[in-house]
């Protein structure tokens, strides 16, 4: 999953994630509740949802190329 996605930001307890393809975004959206359960066990805060979207021009060059901000 990590090679085809990048977390963008968290807003109102919703994690927004960019994907390399629309098909991958749809596939992950079907798995979002199981992914959410796993993430909430590891995070120091609670997420209510995950939203996946295809971002055509997002560069997937390095893991450090994404932006993450946490708002409570």
């Amino acid at each position: 999953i990590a090679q085809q996605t990048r977390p963008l930001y968290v807003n109102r307890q919703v994690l927004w994630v960019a994907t390399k393809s629309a098909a991958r975004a749809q596939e992950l959206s079907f798995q979002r509740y199981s992914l959410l359960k796993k993430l909430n066990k590891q995070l120091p805060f609670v997420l209510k949802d995950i939203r996946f979207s295809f971002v055509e021009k997002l560069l997937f060059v390095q893991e450090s190329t994404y932006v993450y901000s946490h708002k409570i």
Side-chain angles (χ1 to χ4, degrees):
I1 294 176
Q3 293 176 342
Q4 298 179 8
T5 62
R6 290 293 178 265
L8 296 174
Y9 58 91
V10 173
N11 186 16
R12 296 182 180 173
Q13 295 178 292
V14 177
L15 173 61
W16 291 84
V17 179
T19 65
K20 282 188 173 182
S21 72
R24 187 65 171 152
Q26 184 177 19
E27 178 185 342
L28 289 170
S29 69
F30 293 136
Q31 300 173 24
R32 76 178 192 257
Y33 293 113
S34 64
L35 294 170
L36 192 60
K37 188 175 179 179
K38 290 177 187 178
L39 282 172
N40 279 332
K41 287 181 181 179
Q42 296 181 9
L43 293 173
F45 53 92
V46 175
L47 293 173
K48 290 185 177 180
D49 202 1
I50 307 172
R51 304 282 170 89
F52 298 94
S53 62
F54 168 52
V55 179
E56 185 175 355
K57 296 187 179 190
L58 184 67
L59 296 176
F60 285 84
V61 179
Q62 298 175 350
E63 287 188 27
S64 61
T65 59
Y66 58 83
V67 176
Y68 173 82
S69 67
H70 169 62
K71 294 182 181 180
I72 297 179

